[in-house]
Amino acid sequence: MTRLPQDKDRIERATREAQSIIAIEREARAAKTARLREQRLLSEASVSTGAAAAKRKPNARKASRKIIDGD
């Protein structure tokens, strides 16, 4: 039983290309995560400043429910 010759240069080139693609995808994911984190922090900051202004007055009445008698 004879072994087939292996093209080591081809294998090494394919490995380098695969590692390059993985690194590019990893950088893209990290950039997207950073961008989304920044957006989330900005929206949380705007909500927290807007929430203080949007709080109900302490003396505000709750809406009462109307009860309808069916007699």
Side-chain angles (χ1 to χ4, degrees):
M1 183 181 229
T2 61
R3 294 182 70 179
L4 295 174
Q6 293 183 351
D7 188 0
K8 291 186 180 184
D9 289 337
R10 180 178 171 196
I11 293 171
E12 290 173 2
R13 188 172 57 247
T15 302
R16 277 195 314 270
E17 289 298 319
Q19 289 174 346
S20 171
I21 291 170
I22 290 170
I24 291 169
E25 289 175 347
R26 184 178 299 128
E27 289 174 11
R29 273 195 317 273
K32 181 179 178 182
T33 301
R35 182 176 47 83
L36 291 175
R37 181 180 297 126
E38 183 178 341
Q39 286 178 352
R40 179 178 49 84
L41 292 174
L42 286 174
S43 68
E44 286 177 356
S46 66
V47 168
S48 66
T49 58
K55 283 187 179 178
R56 289 177 90 177
K57 295 178 184 176
N59 296 334
R61 281 185 8 188
K62 291 184 178 178
S64 62
R65 293 187 179 183
K66 293 183 181 180
I67 299 173
I68 301 174
D69 254 346
D71 290 334

